Amino acid sequence: MDRAAAYPRLVADVGGTHARFAWLAEPQAGLSCMTTYRVAEHAGLREAIEHYLQSQGLPRPACAAVGIANPVTADRVHMTNHDWSFSISELQRLLGLERLVVLNDFTALALALPLLGADERRQVGGGTAVAAAPIALLGPGTGLGVSGLVPVPGGGWVPLTGEGGHVTLSAADEREDAVLALLRRRFGHVSAERALSGPGLANLYQAVCELAGKQASPLDAPAITQAALRHADPHCIAALELFCAFLGTVAGNLALTLGARAGVYIGGGIVPRLGEWFDGSSFRERFEAKGRFREYLEGIPTWVILAESPGLRGAAQALDLPG
């Protein structure tokens, strides 16, 4: 494709709760017209895109890239944590696009990791990144996204596409065994996402209350988080501590699986809002608690992503990948 004909570009980052859009007018231009909508306010992705273009006074783009919180394995996309469903080829035709790239949202976010500045991430714990080693990425939000980058000989990266948020969650002590037993009774299979997401944090809070013989209040993840950060409710504090511990376990597993000696990045909508509370949680200790491989993991840095809408940058990168 003639690169000059591939602009302007629309990029989107679509999660189970929010859809973010931005515009690339020409090569070397930065993202502009960044806007966020609640997905529940629009009937589908096409309607959200049409609304974005109309409200921003933008022309039809030549190309578009969409990172979406969902497996993208065929032409038909059905969102896991929302009811949007669409055909990629039909959406491209209806929008009149020369090219449309649809990829998993965390694959898009992974593509943005090498672009992050020093002020767009915060290190938690020790460790030093090893050049030309794999990078791991995970992040709790409406669901649990997982991805990573594998270095290419001679430079560059290949992003990973998978559904690691649905691996089986494991316990590290008897209390976690009891929590997982309650979740197993409710859900059958207890994936990492059942604990490490917004709904997952609510699941943990309800399990903590049940184990304590207390009636759980109807609290969602933001309310649980705020109560914990204010030290207003011991059960909310316990739930958030469990959340951070489980996240450390899963992040350590991912680091070992990928050999992610260039670092592990934590994204999503929950952890960045925890600030220094997260730094003092059991996340890093649990990340390193892998028996004979503690020293290996002690050398791997973990970072919280602080950048605003980095998935949009990654989606823009996806349009320049071959294929």
Side-chain angles (χ1 to χ4, degrees):
M1 179 186 295
D2 180 5
R3 288 287 302 279
Y7 287 85
R9 296 174 170 184
L10 178 145
V11 293
D13 179 16
V14 180
T17 303
H18 294 101
R20 298 170 177 85
F21 295 93
W23 191 253
L24 277 165
E26 57 188 18
Q28 310 307 318
L31 295 175
S32 62
C33 304
M34 295 176 63
T35 303
T36 300
Y37 303 129
R38 292 188 64 83
V39 294
E41 295 173 351
H42 298 275
L45 179 57
R46 179 193 172 195
E47 289 80 0
I49 290 173
E50 297 281 11
H51 177 78
Y52 170 74
L53 295 174
Q54 182 178 14
S55 64
Q56 296 292 321
L58 294 169
R60 291 279 168 177
C63 298
V66 178
I68 190 164
N70 200 79
V72 182
T73 58
D75 180 70
R76 194 79 199 176
V77 176
H78 300 273
M79 290 190 69
T80 303
N81 291 311
H82 195 67
D83 60 5
W84 281 5
S85 176
F86 60 93
S87 158
I88 297 173
S89 58
E90 182 182 13
L91 183 63
Q92 179 176 350
R93 179 181 62 81
L94 291 173
L95 294 174
L97 300 171
E98 295 179 27
R99 186 179 179 208
L100 171 61
V101 174
V102 179
L103 68 165
N104 178 268
D105 62 332
F106 264 70
T107 304
L109 179 55
L111 287 168
L113 298 181
L115 307 177
L116 296 180
D119 62 339
E120 294 182 307
R121 64 184 190 180
R122 185 182 76 252
Q123 187 166 352
V124 178
T128 302
V130 174
I135 295 172
L137 167 68
L138 71 167
T142 304
L144 176 62
V146 176
S147 184
L149 294 172
V150 177
V152 176
W157 302 90
V158 173
L160 301 177
T161 299
E163 288 298 320
H166 300 283
V167 300
T168 302
L169 187 61
S170 61
D173 55 37
E174 292 183 356
R175 178 172 174 76
E176 290 183 1
D177 282 334
V179 169
L180 292 186
L182 293 178
L183 297 184
R184 195 175 302 114
R185 189 176 69 196
R186 288 180 60 190
F187 300 112
H189 175 247
V190 182
S191 67
E193 185 174 280
R194 292 297 192 188
L196 299 176
S197 61
L201 181 55
N203 292 338
L204 293 177
Y205 166 72
Q206 291 162 12
V208 165
C209 289
E210 185 170 349
L211 289 173
K214 176 186 179 295
Q215 179 66 39
S217 300
L219 301 178
D220 60 8
I224 294 165
T225 299
Q226 288 305 310
L229 296 181
R230 296 196 313 268
H231 300 281
D233 186 313
H235 299 96
C236 291
I237 294 171
L240 196 57
E241 269 294 351
L242 276 169
F243 178 93
C244 294
F246 278 130
L247 184 61
T249 293
V250 174
N253 289 346
L254 182 61
L256 289 173
T257 300
L258 296 184
R261 298 175 66 213
V264 177
Y265 286 78
I266 310 296
I270 297 175
V271 174
R273 294 190 176 99
L274 299 181
E276 294 182 359
W277 195 97
F278 182 73
D279 301 9
S281 75
S282 56
F283 164 78
R284 182 69 195 193
E285 165 56 29
R286 186 60 65 80
F287 175 80
E288 297 174 357
K290 299 296 184 186
R292 293 173 293 169
F293 271 73
R294 174 180 287 275
E295 184 176 353
Y296 180 93
L297 287 159
E298 286 175 345
I300 295 178
T302 50
W303 288 290
V304 176
I305 299 171
L306 304 177
E308 180 182 359
S309 301
L312 292 172
R313 286 190 240 173
Q317 291 288 108
L319 280 168
D320 292 323
L321 294 177

